[in-house]
Amino acid sequence: MTQFASRKGHMTLPVEEGQEDVVLDLYQRWQADALRDSDGTTMPDSLAEQDSDIYSVMCLVRADQAYANQHPEYLHRKYLMSFPVTAMSDRVAIFPLDGYSKDKYELDDDSDPKQWWEVRNRTLNKVIPTDKWTFDAQYQRIDIEDAIPYHEYTITFMARQVWDSVSMYNALTNDWKGPRIKSLDPYHPECRAHLLQHFAHWLETHPNTTVVRFTTFAFLFVIDTGEKNQDIYRDWTGYGETVSPRALEDFEQRFGYKLSPEDFVDAGYYNGTYKVPSQQYRDWMTFVQDFVVEFAAELVSMAHQAGKKTAMFQGDHWIGTEPFLESYQKIGIDINVGAVEDGVALRRLTDSGGDQIREARFYPYFFPDVFREGNDPVVESMSNWTKIRRAMLQKPLDRIGYGGYLSLANQFPHFIDHVTDISRQFGEYLDNTQRSESQKLPGKVAVLSAWGTARSWLQNQARDQRFYVPPRPDVMELVGNNLLECLSGLPFEVEFISFDDIAEKGIDPDIKVIINTGDANSAWSGGDCWDDHNVIVKLRQFVAEGGGLLGVSDPSAWQKNGRYFQLGDVFGLEKETSLTMGRVAMPLQIEKHHYLSQFIQGDEDFGNPSYVYPQAQDLTVLAAQGQHLALTARGYGSGRAVYLGNLPFSMENARLLQHILLWLTQQEETAHAWLSNNPYVDVAFYPQTNKATAVNFTDETQKVTVLNTDGEPQSITLKPYEWRWFDN
Amino acid sequence: MTQFASRKGHMTLPVEEGQEDVVLDLYQRWQADALRDSDGTTMPDSLAEQDSDIYSVMCLVRADQAYANQHPEYLHRKYLMSFPVTAMSDRVAIFPLDGYSKDKYELDDDSDPKQWWEVRNRTLNKVIPTDKWTFDAQYQRIDIEDAIPYHEYTITFMARQVWDSVSMYNALTNDWKGPRIKSLDPYHPECRAHLLQHFAHWLETHPNTTVVRFTTFAFLFVIDTGEKNQDIYRDWTGYGETVSPRALEDFEQRFGYKLSPEDFVDAGYYNGTYKVPSQQYRDWMTFVQDFVVEFAAELVSMAHQAGKKTAMFQGDHWIGTEPFLESYQKIGIDINVGAVEDGVALRRLTDSGGDQIREARFYPYFFPDVFREGNDPVVESMSNWTKIRRAMLQKPLDRIGYGGYLSLANQFPHFIDHVTDISRQFGEYLDNTQRSESQKLPGKVAVLSAWGTARSWLQNQARDQRFYVPPRPDVMELVGNNLLECLSGLPFEVEFISFDDIAEKGIDPDIKVIINTGDANSAWSGGDCWDDHNVIVKLRQFVAEGGGLLGVSDPSAWQKNGRYFQLGDVFGLEKETSLTMGRVAMPLQIEKHHYLSQFIQGDEDFGNPSYVYPQAQDLTVLAAQGQHLALTARGYGSGRAVYLGNLPFSMENARLLQHILLWLTQQEETAHAWLSNNPYVDVAFYPQTNKATAVNFTDETQKVTVLNTDGEPQSITLKPYEWRWFDN
């Protein structure tokens, strides 16, 4: 197998026992340089001894099932709120687990209910004193006395998880019949000691492994499961499954106050990442992060001492590791692996700090839900790849990879060829960019949300998403407003800032445009973060002094002082929330002579009607849906403001966003080198290698004329889907 | 002209000088028995002496323009809020009237600004002390000192109205060139005395007038006018134009507290009727009502003493007269005249208490905006008439009439014939019903809103209305959800109740269904009235004990205690407001075997997507738009609950509502006499005359089978648009 060493590749290839020939073939064609096992597959001995990197999956908290079965007290716990029960008399009986999966959850009998649980009257939002209820352990029931008829009651209880969510999903998806996998909580020192010992042994017994691929360290994202074993709540970045009495006690020691069960269940909202986080939840996140970083650093150090590199998969038990926070670098990880389905996911991988290698694990995963008769996996892959390529042009990506059953993928030769193309294009990208960054337009663009940097490049779920049933639960296909996807492929320096950043540090002078995009009440728009006149004043000043402000959907939405959009005075408009229906609608006049007018054809997709109307005489209306504003522009002092009702992702909308950002930064009259104005062609320039590139995203020939760095026009014609490289 | 007396009619005919022959012709053909003048027309002397009722328009507050010109201190005043101005330094200058019509408004120089005006920092919502601002009377400007840069400031000022809104509308619409009409405020005793004297003289000099048609008494509805003389805000039932320093001082005496300018301008929301009213605004309404009733009663008494009857037009200066309140009966009016464009407007006229004659003034008004070349006035009239007929079958109407320039209408012979038909059908209706009421199904239906009875049968404007530019400003064409129009023609006893009613008196045992319909935040849905656990408990109990609950759009919407729909536990669902996006959408299963399923074809118009999703296992989904719930049903205790996303008016939706109400009252298995199940045919039965009737609303032949009171099936076939009467 000496051919493995003949050419260095850039791809991590999943392997499978009995598929050794396929592996050898694809190793070449896909330009692989690393092999990996996956959940459900193991590394064939013959391959593990080859001269390539060998990634071995390590999910330590799931690694020792015997120990997990012996120690239910160390299983993952979480606070769940029972479904509300209405009192029909003065006595109420509630079975806390009613409505939840009995295969997954048990009532945690290690934590005293009277100490750790909470019974609430939800109609009055009052805690019921512990002497007014009793827990019947035999019947797993709470009885409440002196209830008030027609009031609702809930139990917030600690549940023990006896089936790991990801294992459960994989088992149910693939019809696996093996034992139900449990996860251990390493916060308990005894458990941690055992897991470290287990890991030490594992390192010793895996001499061929060159890269430990952690999947991941301690705590899983949040999936709540209903009584039919269906998902009922998901939060891929939520901290809800990190709780134990021991950790709560330590938290109280450190932060000087006690968290209540309600801080976790949050009236049934469970601190969803789309919500503006409470201070308690932020503190808990800090607490968890500090623990996980410290624990992960120990594991990484052990791997390094064993002469192995480490990779972290940004998924599964990744809670507490936040690549965009500085603390992440303390872990010492070598390779960040991200599951990447679009440009936003790629930027989430490529834009974090530190000098880790970035490896994108592409979709589809080689599982039978996609690789089944009658389905063409190339469709999903191509849709992803066109989005990912745009974002790759903006920030360097180091490696790519796949996961799952290679035997399944190999039944689709068309798909094999397609990945061969992807990998070849990726190789050319590496050759030409040498992992350097493309040139950006002047002026930093900041996206303002309640989270700021901690949730950089996280998809901003919108209300429409809730009413879209995706084909698969593990892939997020964002519907409706998706400004971030448009932005992910544009040549602007982007950062994510929070309201706290503005309050504490003001606005960085490098920032030339601030974007606020999202539905009202969401962390993305900001919710009650807008209930702060200091922030409002700083943003007004920022625009008045020459800055650009871009609002999408419900920017600055917070009902107060006669406004719903707190910066409606800057945008020159207002949203109708049933409080201003007496204001008379005037027929809108669409402006045809504004700089941005030339980019509006009238057939743009601006998503849902905005319910936003003009509230300034000097507002320029560029596009509307009936009488609903869709795109407006306005001067404010020396600066400019643009409002967009929604910006679903499309190549047209992405290029429109580029023009809007150029207008907002007052650079619309400036000549820019290597800047495409064709929506279907992206162009980028790499100063370090002096290479330029152009990509055609369509199945038709495309032409574009751009200036080179000397200002000379270059006319480029690209064949369907062609990706070409040039010398400057 | 003896033929006038030969047959008693039921129609009030507008007359016009020079059109005497037309009047004589139409008096017969339209079965008139009364003549009226209109705004812009006068009664020809030859007609005024005929043997018919002579209605003479009396708008006393506009009647003496010489006096109005001499006494600016008695003109109508109102509080206006200046458009907000952002401080760009520590000094701000605001011209309060900027943006407002200079033809209509003047700054009121009779009320001391330091005493009656208010300057606010709207960013902090703080009143600026009077020593921090000065009013420059010469330049009509307020200068504010020590302003905070980038904070917004407003002036709430008293404006004097030097052009009556209705006169202004009529003048601008018809291009009238005469002097601008002013309105006087009779709250001032001197002014009132003068007006009474004027009225006494008018009575003496109008011997032929048999009916004084008041248009109306004291205060106009609210229309705010912008600087281009365009309407910028309208509230047909608002109390904003009733203010004077004298009245405010008297209010303080009576109610023991002082109203602030902010109580009127309401942060720029101006207490729009669609808003949940504040206690201050309610108190002010009571104060104004008491004054107007007392003043109007004096005028009516004078007219009666002069041997004349009195009619009140429920429009124009009608503020303070509320036909649904008991105080209204103290006025002593003989005839209520309502402008009626649909079923809801008709029920607003016919359902109020008292034994007044009810006269519907139909649209279109004979004005050149409708009666112009190329427009067919029959289209609007027929659309109105089909809606009005439905409602007429439910509550007795006594008279009909028209207004405007007869000469204009007479240029449209097709329209003249059409009105001849309407009047003939109306005459048959009077003959067969003898002004009695049709039979209703058992069980009262109550519509719950923040207003209750005071705003019975007032169109529930929704957010969509704000984005619809109607063809004419004086006619409200309701778009979107319009449950009331559907309900106006159904055989149910209807009443309107408020949250206060429930809190104070509980729920009348005759009420079998409670409806809550409207957008969140609106008075119709209830806004913060839902922040009351007592109301919630009473409604849960009402349903649990057998009642029916119907929610439309945003029923019980108020964010609290983990719910947006406070009665979401009863409905079994929740609205997505960006707080529950992690809850997983399950594909909806449409139930085909529910009683209501048979009435769902799948092509129903349920308006906008609801953003409402199931939140109960036992919810029956009857219709959906994608994953948005459109129609659901659920049992709760012994009662039932139905949710509708929206119910735009159509004959199909009206009949669907009938089936829903039957199901909610648990009468779906009961045989009902004279009840139509054909959406396009209405059937009614009049016990007092033992007559039944059936109306075909379509241009096609329709069949319907109904039971008579003996339970015998009657098969009825109706020609297009036919309205037929039967003996039982």
Side-chain angles (χ1 to χ4, degrees):
Chain A
M1 305 291 169
T2 49
Q3 70 267 39
F4 274 20
S6 65
R7 187 177 187 278
K8 198 67 187 161
H10 48 250
M11 144 95 70
T12 303
L13 187 69
V15 300
E16 187 180 346
E17 280 184 304
Q19 298 290 320
E20 287 81 350
D21 291 345
V22 180
V23 171
L24 293 182
D25 175 38
L26 293 183
Y27 196 90
Q28 293 284 11
R29 290 168 65 191
W30 286 6
Q31 303 185 46
D33 62 348
L35 303 175
R36 62 164 288 203
D37 52 9
S38 303
D39 201 2
T41 69
T42 49
M43 181 73 62
D45 290 339
S46 65
L47 294 174
E49 290 164 9
Q50 300 314 318
D51 179 24
S52 73
D53 263 340
I54 303 291
Y55 284 43
S56 297
V57 168
M58 166 43 63
C59 182
L60 192 55
V61 297
R62 294 193 295 224
D64 188 347
Q65 288 298 301
Y67 187 80
N69 286 321
Q70 285 154 18
H71 294 281
E73 72 276 20
Y74 300 147
L75 294 183
H76 278 197
R77 290 183 184 80
K78 73 175 303 178
Y79 273 120
L80 285 174
M81 189 183 85
S82 75
F83 289 87
V85 172
T86 304
M88 291 296 179
S89 70
D90 64 353
R91 289 192 66 86
V92 181
I94 300 182
F95 298 88
L97 279 175
D98 265 8
Y100 290 107
S101 170
K102 308 298 185 299
D103 289 332
K104 183 175 179 185
Y105 303 111
E106 292 176 355
L107 293 184
D108 179 40
D109 48 22
D110 288 309
S111 23
D112 176 10
K114 296 274 177 169
Q115 185 183 354
W116 295 104
W117 299 12
E118 196 173 77
V119 180
R120 279 197 183 231
N121 175 325
R122 287 282 165 195
T123 304
L124 300 175
N125 197 26
K126 284 193 177 159
V127 178
I128 304 297
T130 50
D131 61 352
K132 291 293 183 187
W133 57 271
T134 52
F135 172 55
D136 183 326
Q138 186 186 351
Y139 291 103
Q140 305 262 299
R141 190 186 67 213
I142 297 268
D143 292 292
I144 305 169
E145 298 164 27
D146 298 341
I148 308 173
Y150 299 108
H151 283 220
E152 285 190 296
Y153 292 84
T154 62
I155 316 297
T156 302
F157 59 102
M158 221 175 249
R160 189 166 52 211
Q161 304 201 53
V162 294
W163 198 354
D164 174 272
S165 297
V166 170
S167 302
M168 188 175 181
Y169 170 75
N170 287 344
L172 295 174
T173 301
N174 298 310
D175 203 21
W176 292 342
K177 297 298 184 197
R180 293 172 178 175
I181 304 295
K182 298 181 170 83
S183 290
L184 288 158
D185 180 353
Y187 192 81
H188 302 84
E190 309 78 5
C191 178
R192 173 177 177 155
H194 176 82
L195 293 178
L196 291 178
Q197 198 177 17
H198 183 95
F199 185 53
H201 178 74
W202 185 91
L203 287 170
E204 280 169 26
T205 54
H206 285 71
N208 295 323
T209 297
T210 60
V211 178
V212 183
R213 184 183 188 275
F214 289 104
T215 312
T216 321
F217 297 112
F219 302 115
L220 197 63
F221 47 64
V222 177
I223 293 186
D224 292 351
T225 308
E227 60 191 352
K228 296 170 187 160
N229 286 340
Q230 82 281 26
D231 290 3
I232 54 176
Y233 174 80
R234 296 189 197 111
D235 184 0
W236 305 120
T237 51
Y239 280 59
E241 310 209 346
T242 57
V243 177
S244 63
R246 187 188 295 263
L248 288 168
E249 282 166 348
D250 290 350
F251 176 93
E252 186 179 356
Q253 281 278 322
R254 173 173 160 193
F255 283 84
Y257 73 96
K258 187 174 175 160
L259 289 173
S260 73
E262 186 65 10
D263 289 324
F264 292 93
V265 302
D266 183 23
Y269 297 129
Y270 292 100
N271 302 296
T273 299
Y274 40 80
K275 281 189 70 199
V276 177
S278 67
Q279 191 56 51
Q280 291 93 315
Y281 186 57
R282 287 165 184 262
D283 287 347
W284 179 252
M285 289 174 71
T286 301
F287 178 83
V288 172
Q289 285 155 12
D290 289 352
F291 164 71
V292 174
V293 162
E294 192 261 345
F295 174 61
E298 185 166 6
L299 296 177
V300 167
S301 169
M302 287 169 70
H304 285 169
Q305 281 170 28
K308 302 181 195 303
K309 287 181 287 180
T310 56
M312 183 192 105
F313 178 60
Q314 295 176 356
D316 286 29
H317 291 78
W318 77 312
I319 297 305
T321 66
E322 298 287 350
F324 283 91
L325 297 185
E326 284 177 23
S327 61
Y328 180 82
Q329 297 305 323
K330 294 185 200 157
I331 300 175
I333 211 85
D334 304 293
I335 304 168
N336 286 346
V337 182
V340 169
E341 70 268 35
D342 56 21
V344 168
L346 187 76
R347 297 294 293 266
R348 192 157 66 247
L349 177 66
T350 57
D351 281 34
S352 57
D355 56 2
Q356 284 80 20
I357 299 286
R358 267 84 180 171
E359 175 175 324
R361 217 259 0 255
F362 285 158
Y363 287 92
Y365 209 77
F366 305 160
F367 260 6
D369 51 352
V370 174
F371 290 85
R372 57 182 162 79
E373 207 175 300
N375 191 44
D376 180 1
V378 172
V379 174
E380 177 178 336
S381 178
M382 194 66 198
S383 164
N384 293 355
W385 178 234
T386 52
K387 294 179 200 158
I388 293 164
R389 281 200 302 191
R390 294 181 63 235
M392 264 168 53
L393 297 182
Q394 303 310 325
K395 287 281 180 182
L397 174 68
D398 301 300
R399 303 180 47 78
I400 60 178
Y402 287 89
Y405 296 101
L406 205 56
S407 58
L408 284 175
N410 201 41
Q411 290 165 27
F412 293 79
H414 176 48
F415 178 76
I416 298 294
D417 292 343
H418 161 76
V419 174
T420 306
D421 274 350
I422 286 179
S423 193
R424 180 186 50 74
Q425 290 185 355
F426 184 71
E428 290 173 11
Y429 161 85
L430 291 178
D431 288 344
N432 283 285
T433 64
Q434 294 296 312
R435 296 179 161 81
S436 68
E437 182 170 345
S438 61
Q439 183 165 284
K440 301 294 183 287
L441 291 164
K444 207 183 268 186
V445 173
V447 180
L448 172 64
S449 75
W451 284 112
T453 192
R455 292 283 172 253
S456 298
W457 293 110
L458 189 68
Q459 281 289 21
N460 294 355
Q461 200 174 358
R463 291 202 303 154
D464 288 310
Q465 197 71 33
R466 181 66 189 66
F467 297 89
Y468 172 72
V469 179
R472 298 207 315 281
D474 64 327
V475 178
M476 185 153 171
E477 187 177 334
L478 207 76
V479 297
N481 180 41
N482 195 348
L483 175 128
L484 287 187
E485 188 64 34
C486 296
L487 186 61
S488 71
L490 295 184
F492 291 91
E493 199 60 51
V494 178
E495 71 173 77
F496 291 77
I497 62 173
S498 70
F499 294 86
D500 287 348
D501 291 339
I502 291 181
E504 289 161 16
K505 301 181 289 186
I507 297 166
D508 176 353
D510 291 346
I511 294 174
K512 301 303 178 194
V513 177
I514 292 177
I515 299 176
N516 183 232
T517 172
D519 283 351
N521 303 318
S522 72
W524 320 126
S525 168
D528 65 6
C529 298
W530 288 106
D531 187 12
D532 178 349
H533 57 84
N534 289 316
V535 165
I536 293 167
V537 162
K538 282 184 178 158
L539 287 167
R540 282 183 184 143
Q541 183 177 7
F542 166 77
V543 184
E545 294 178 352
L549 181 67
L550 173 58
V552 189
S553 292
D554 297 331
S556 72
W558 185 250
Q559 182 61 48
K560 196 173 183 182
N561 295 344
R563 291 195 182 281
Y564 189 65
F565 286 173
Q566 289 299 312
L567 292 175
D569 61 313
V570 178
F571 293 115
L573 38 74
E574 180 57 298
K575 180 157 185 164
E576 181 56 77
T577 58
S578 308
L579 298 177
T580 63
M581 296 188 286
R583 293 183 189 165
V584 178
M586 297 293 286
L588 297 178
Q589 304 295 329
I590 306 295
E591 172 63 43
K592 297 291 183 193
H593 303 291
H594 190 275
Y595 167 75
L596 289 171
S597 302
Q598 62 188 304
F599 308 114
I600 301 296
Q601 313 300 323
D603 59 354
E604 282 74 17
D605 175 11
F606 291 119
N608 290 337
S610 64
Y611 286 87
V612 172
Y613 60 88
Q615 192 73 346
Q617 295 294 330
D618 57 350
L619 180 72
T620 300
V621 180
L622 295 159
Q625 294 163 296
Q627 297 296 306
H628 296 259
L629 296 177
L631 174 58
T632 67
R634 185 161 178 259
Y636 180 89
S638 305
R640 294 172 173 182
V642 166
Y643 174 78
L644 273 162
N646 284 280
L647 196 71
F649 171 69
S650 67
M651 297 303 293
E652 296 87 345
N653 280 352
R655 193 65 72 222
L656 177 61
L657 179 60
Q658 173 184 301
H659 296 304
I660 289 170
L661 293 173
L662 282 171
W663 186 77
L664 284 171
T665 53
Q666 310 193 23
Q667 301 183 73
E668 74 275 15
E669 305 296 345
T670 312
H672 299 281
W674 299 109
L675 185 66
S676 169
N677 61 10
N678 180 332
Y680 310 109
V681 176
D682 269 354
V683 175
F685 173 65
Y686 295 81
Q688 281 182 245
T689 59
N690 206 29
K691 295 278 187 183
T693 191
V695 193
N696 178 357
F697 291 95
T698 70
D699 60 1
E700 295 174 13
T701 299
Q702 293 287 344
K703 292 183 189 181
V704 66
T705 301
V706 292
L707 304 179
N708 67 11
T709 46
D710 298 326
E712 294 156 354
Q714 311 286 310
S715 190
I716 304 171
T717 302
L718 295 169
K719 286 181 291 221
Y721 294 118
E722 185 181 0
W723 183 355
R724 199 191 305 165
W725 293 87
F726 311 87
D727 294 314
N728 179 32
Chain B
M1 306 292 169
T2 48
Q3 70 268 36
F4 273 23
S6 65
R7 187 178 188 280
K8 199 65 188 163
H10 47 249
M11 144 97 69
T12 303
L13 186 70
V15 299
E16 188 181 346
E17 280 185 303
Q19 298 289 319
E20 287 82 350
D21 292 345
V22 178
V23 170
L24 293 182
D25 174 40
L26 293 184
Y27 196 88
Q28 293 284 11
R29 291 169 64 191
W30 287 7
Q31 304 186 46
D33 62 348
L35 302 175
R36 62 164 289 201
D37 51 9
S38 303
D39 202 1
T41 68
T42 50
M43 182 73 62
D45 289 339
S46 64
L47 294 176
E49 289 164 10
Q50 300 313 318
D51 179 25
S52 74
D53 263 340
I54 303 291
Y55 282 42
S56 296
V57 168
M58 165 44 65
C59 183
L60 193 56
V61 297
R62 292 193 296 224
D64 189 347
Q65 288 297 302
Y67 187 81
N69 285 322
Q70 285 156 19
H71 293 282
E73 73 276 21
Y74 299 147
L75 294 183
H76 278 196
R77 290 182 183 82
K78 74 175 302 179
Y79 272 121
L80 285 174
M81 189 183 85
S82 75
F83 289 87
V85 172
T86 304
M88 291 296 181
S89 71
D90 65 353
R91 290 191 65 85
V92 181
I94 301 181
F95 297 88
L97 279 175
D98 264 9
Y100 290 107
S101 168
K102 308 299 185 298
D103 288 331
K104 182 176 178 184
Y105 302 110
E106 291 176 354
L107 293 184
D108 179 40
D109 48 21
D110 289 309
S111 23
D112 176 11
K114 296 275 176 166
Q115 184 182 354
W116 294 104
W117 300 11
E118 196 172 79
V119 179
R120 277 197 185 233
N121 175 324
R122 287 283 166 194
T123 303
L124 300 176
N125 197 27
K126 286 196 175 157
V127 177
I128 304 298
T130 51
D131 62 352
K132 292 292 184 186
W133 56 272
T134 52
F135 173 54
D136 184 325
Q138 186 187 351
Y139 291 104
Q140 305 263 298
R141 190 186 68 212
I142 297 269
D143 293 293
I144 305 168
E145 298 166 26
D146 298 339
I148 307 174
Y150 299 108
H151 284 220
E152 285 189 295
Y153 292 85
T154 62
I155 316 297
T156 302
F157 59 102
M158 222 175 245
R160 189 165 53 210
Q161 305 202 54
V162 294
W163 197 356
D164 174 272
S165 296
V166 170
S167 301
M168 189 175 180
Y169 170 74
N170 286 344
L172 295 173
T173 302
N174 297 311
D175 204 21
W176 291 342
K177 298 298 185 198
R180 293 172 178 176
I181 304 295
K182 299 181 169 85
S183 290
L184 288 159
D185 180 352
Y187 192 83
H188 302 84
E190 310 79 4
C191 178
R192 173 177 177 155
H194 176 81
L195 294 179
L196 292 178
Q197 198 175 19
H198 183 96
F199 185 54
H201 177 74
W202 184 92
L203 288 171
E204 281 167 27
T205 53
H206 285 71
N208 296 322
T209 296
T210 61
V211 178
V212 184
R213 185 184 187 274
F214 289 105
T215 315
T216 320
F217 298 112
F219 301 116
L220 197 64
F221 46 64
V222 176
I223 292 186
D224 292 351
T225 309
E227 60 190 353
K228 295 169 187 159
N229 285 340
Q230 82 282 24
D231 290 2
I232 55 176
Y233 175 79
R234 296 189 198 110
D235 184 1
W236 306 120
T237 51
Y239 279 60
E241 310 210 345
T242 57
V243 178
S244 63
R246 187 188 294 263
L248 288 168
E249 282 166 349
D250 291 351
F251 175 93
E252 186 179 354
Q253 281 278 321
R254 175 174 158 193
F255 282 84
Y257 73 94
K258 188 173 173 161
L259 289 173
S260 73
E262 187 65 9
D263 288 326
F264 291 93
V265 302
D266 183 23
Y269 297 128
Y270 292 102
N271 302 296
T273 300
Y274 40 80
K275 281 190 67 199
V276 177
S278 67
Q279 191 56 52
Q280 291 94 316
Y281 186 57
R282 287 166 184 262
D283 287 346
W284 179 253
M285 289 173 72
T286 301
F287 178 83
V288 171
Q289 285 156 11
D290 289 351
F291 164 70
V292 174
V293 162
E294 192 261 344
F295 174 61
E298 185 167 7
L299 295 177
V300 167
S301 168
M302 288 169 70
H304 284 168
Q305 280 169 29
K308 301 180 195 305
K309 287 181 286 183
T310 56
M312 184 192 106
F313 178 60
Q314 295 176 355
D316 288 29
H317 291 77
W318 76 313
I319 297 305
T321 68
E322 299 287 351
F324 283 90
L325 297 185
E326 283 177 21
S327 62
Y328 181 82
Q329 297 304 325
K330 296 185 200 158
I331 301 176
I333 211 85
D334 304 292
I335 304 168
N336 285 347
V337 183
V340 170
E341 69 269 34
D342 56 22
V344 169
L346 188 77
R347 297 295 293 266
R348 192 158 63 247
L349 177 66
T350 56
D351 280 33
S352 57
D355 56 2
Q356 284 82 22
I357 299 286
R358 266 82 180 173
E359 176 175 323
R361 218 256 5 252
F362 285 159
Y363 287 94
Y365 209 78
F366 305 161
F367 260 7
D369 51 352
V370 174
F371 289 84
R372 58 181 163 77
E373 210 176 297
N375 190 45
D376 179 2
V378 173
V379 173
E380 176 178 336
S381 178
M382 195 67 198
S383 163
N384 294 354
W385 179 233
T386 53
K387 293 179 201 160
I388 292 164
R389 282 198 303 191
R390 295 180 64 233
M392 264 169 54
L393 297 182
Q394 303 310 325
K395 287 280 180 183
L397 175 67
D398 301 299
R399 302 179 50 76
I400 60 177
Y402 286 88
Y405 297 102
L406 205 56
S407 58
L408 283 174
N410 201 41
Q411 290 166 25
F412 293 79
H414 176 48
F415 178 77
I416 298 293
D417 292 344
H418 162 76
V419 174
T420 306
D421 275 351
I422 286 179
S423 193
R424 178 185 52 72
Q425 290 186 356
F426 183 71
E428 289 173 12
Y429 161 85
L430 291 178
D431 288 345
N432 283 286
T433 64
Q434 293 297 314
R435 296 181 162 80
S436 68
E437 183 170 343
S438 60
Q439 183 166 283
K440 300 293 183 289
L441 290 164
K444 208 184 267 186
V445 172
V447 180
L448 172 65
S449 75
W451 285 110
T453 191
R455 292 282 171 257
S456 298
W457 294 111
L458 190 68
Q459 282 289 21
N460 294 355
Q461 201 173 357
R463 291 202 303 153
D464 288 311
Q465 197 71 31
R466 182 64 188 68
F467 297 90
Y468 173 72
V469 179
R472 298 207 316 280
D474 64 328
V475 178
M476 185 153 168
E477 188 176 333
L478 207 76
V479 298
N481 180 40
N482 196 349
L483 174 128
L484 288 186
E485 188 64 33
C486 296
L487 186 60
S488 71
L490 295 183
F492 290 92
E493 199 62 50
V494 178
E495 72 172 80
F496 291 77
I497 62 172
S498 70
F499 295 86
D500 287 348
D501 291 339
I502 291 181
E504 290 161 16
K505 300 180 290 183
I507 297 166
D508 176 354
D510 291 346
I511 294 174
K512 301 303 178 195
V513 177
I514 292 177
I515 301 176
N516 184 231
T517 172
D519 284 350
N521 303 318
S522 72
W524 319 126
S525 169
D528 64 7
C529 297
W530 288 106
D531 187 11
D532 179 349
H533 57 86
N534 290 315
V535 165
I536 293 166
V537 162
K538 282 183 177 159
L539 287 168
R540 282 184 186 143
Q541 183 177 7
F542 167 77
V543 183
E545 294 178 352
L549 180 68
L550 172 58
V552 189
S553 292
D554 296 331
S556 71
W558 184 250
Q559 181 61 48
K560 196 172 183 182
N561 295 343
R563 291 195 182 281
Y564 189 64
F565 286 172
Q566 290 298 312
L567 292 176
D569 61 313
V570 179
F571 293 116
L573 38 75
E574 180 56 300
K575 179 156 184 164
E576 182 55 78
T577 59
S578 308
L579 298 176
T580 63
M581 295 188 287
R583 294 183 188 166
V584 177
M586 296 293 287
L588 297 178
Q589 304 296 330
I590 306 294
E591 172 62 44
K592 296 291 182 195
H593 304 290
H594 190 275
Y595 167 75
L596 289 171
S597 302
Q598 63 187 305
F599 308 113
I600 301 296
Q601 314 299 325
D603 59 354
E604 282 75 17
D605 175 12
F606 291 120
N608 291 337
S610 64
Y611 286 89
V612 172
Y613 59 89
Q615 192 74 348
Q617 295 294 329
D618 58 350
L619 181 72
T620 299
V621 181
L622 294 160
Q625 294 164 297
Q627 298 296 306
H628 297 259
L629 296 178
L631 173 59
T632 66
R634 184 160 179 260
Y636 180 88
S638 305
R640 295 172 171 182
V642 166
Y643 174 78
L644 273 162
N646 284 279
L647 196 71
F649 171 69
S650 67
M651 296 304 292
E652 295 88 346
N653 281 352
R655 193 65 71 221
L656 178 61
L657 178 60
Q658 173 184 300
H659 296 304
I660 289 170
L661 293 173
L662 282 171
W663 186 78
L664 284 171
T665 53
Q666 308 193 23
Q667 302 183 73
E668 74 275 16
E669 305 295 345
T670 313
H672 299 280
W674 299 108
L675 184 67
S676 171
N677 61 9
N678 180 331
Y680 311 109
V681 176
D682 269 354
V683 174
F685 173 64
Y686 295 81
Q688 282 183 242
T689 59
N690 206 30
K691 295 279 187 183
T693 191
V695 193
N696 178 358
F697 291 95
T698 70
D699 59 2
E700 294 173 12
T701 299
Q702 293 288 342
K703 292 181 190 179
V704 66
T705 302
V706 292
L707 304 179
N708 67 10
T709 46
D710 298 327
E712 295 155 353
Q714 311 285 311
S715 189
I716 303 171
T717 302
L718 294 168
K719 287 180 289 216
Y721 294 119
E722 185 180 0
W723 183 354
R724 200 191 304 164
W725 291 88
F726 311 87
D727 294 316
N728 178 31

